[in-house]
Amino acid sequence: MVFKNRNDAAHKLVPLLKKYGKEESVVMAIPRGGVPVASPIAKTYNLPLDLLMAKKIGHPAHPEFAIGAVTPEDHIIDEHYMPQSYIDSQVKSIRQSLRERYKTFTGGHPPSSVENKTVIIVDDGAATGNTIISAIKMLRRKKPKKIVVALPVAPRETAEKIRQQADDFICLFTPASFLGVGLHYTDFTQVSDEEVKLLLANTNRF
């Protein structure tokens, strides 16, 4: 399956999320690529749109290998044998960066409350799914009613991992052979900071 662009993928996801549009839900996009997918979903069902700011902590010898993840308010560590000094420095640095980016994108708007609400996590696709899975674990601590993950595409193995962590997982295409998210889009132009800010400004935020 190949999508024309992120907007095309969004409109294919919209009808599959209808039941959550009737609940007290919050759409949380993973920036930047997830925002153009999440915005039409939030608009269709008149739901608030917010950003899920999360970034992996890379292994010091192999930065592409995640040993944990950080959000502006929390962090989770999967590999506990790492020196605490390294973890502390990474958490501090990444958290500061995420908070600055969130402020840039939202203009200082406070994060949405998710307690007792359905959280719909949206991205333009997932490769390993590690950041999403870590974000789910951290979101659980905020006591949402349920966590739903909605993606246009993810490899089959990743889809199974996410499905085990989320209360519901909706994915349009889960190929057994996967070479990258971008190959499933005709137009996979990088989303700019300005586009993120514009989409947030033009979508429900309350």
Side-chain angles (χ1 to χ4, degrees):
M1 179 181 287
V2 177
F3 307 102
K4 295 177 184 177
N5 49 37
R6 292 178 179 87
N7 190 59
D8 176 43
H11 284 91
K12 285 181 168 63
L13 280 171
V14 163
L16 303 180
L17 293 161
K18 185 176 181 179
K19 64 180 178 180
Y20 298 116
K22 299 176 182 178
E23 298 181 7
E24 189 175 6
S25 303
V26 178
V27 180
M28 301 200 75
I30 297 179
R32 291 173 294 195
V35 181
V37 183
S39 178
I41 295 169
K43 282 184 175 181
T44 299
Y45 297 116
N46 197 34
L47 299 175
L49 173 64
D50 208 341
L51 300 178
L52 180 55
M53 308 294 295
K55 186 176 180 180
K56 71 179 181 182
I57 302 174
H59 190 285
H62 304 283
E64 72 282 357
F65 177 73
I67 62 169
V70 181
T71 68
E73 305 90 16
D74 204 354
H75 71 276
I76 190 167
I77 303 298
D78 298 319
E79 304 292 344
H80 295 280
Y81 60 83
M82 297 303 302
Q84 190 62 43
S85 59
Y86 174 76
I87 292 172
D88 290 345
S89 67
Q90 288 294 298
V91 168
K92 182 179 180 180
S93 174
I94 294 171
R95 178 168 291 153
Q96 180 63 28
S97 174
L98 291 176
R99 286 175 174 170
E100 289 174 358
R101 288 187 69 208
Y102 185 85
K103 186 176 181 179
T104 296
F105 288 141
T106 67
H109 192 284
S112 300
S113 170
V114 301
E115 187 172 355
N116 296 321
K117 296 178 182 178
T118 296
V119 178
I120 306 171
I121 299 173
V122 181
D123 204 353
D124 55 10
T128 66
N130 290 337
T131 300
I132 290 176
I133 290 169
S134 294
I136 291 171
K137 292 177 180 178
M138 287 184 278
L139 274 172
R140 293 280 185 208
R141 298 171 181 172
K142 295 185 176 183
K143 301 179 180 179
K145 179 181 177 182
K146 67 181 71 168
I147 296 176
V148 179
V149 177
L151 301 173
V153 61
R156 195 165 299 168
E157 182 179 353
T158 295
E160 287 305 314
K161 290 194 299 181
I162 296 173
R163 187 173 284 111
Q164 291 173 15
Q165 297 294 329
D167 297 300
D168 192 8
F169 177 60
I170 297 167
C171 191
L172 297 171
F173 188 44
T174 56
S177 177
F178 182 84
L179 297 176
V181 172
L183 294 179
H184 294 277
Y185 288 84
T186 301
D187 177 4
F188 197 61
T189 305
Q190 182 173 322
V191 179
S192 68
D193 288 358
E194 289 304 314
E195 185 176 354
V196 170
K197 289 189 281 187
L198 183 61
L199 285 167
L200 286 174
N202 291 335
T203 309
N204 313 304
R205 300 205 73 239
F206 46 83

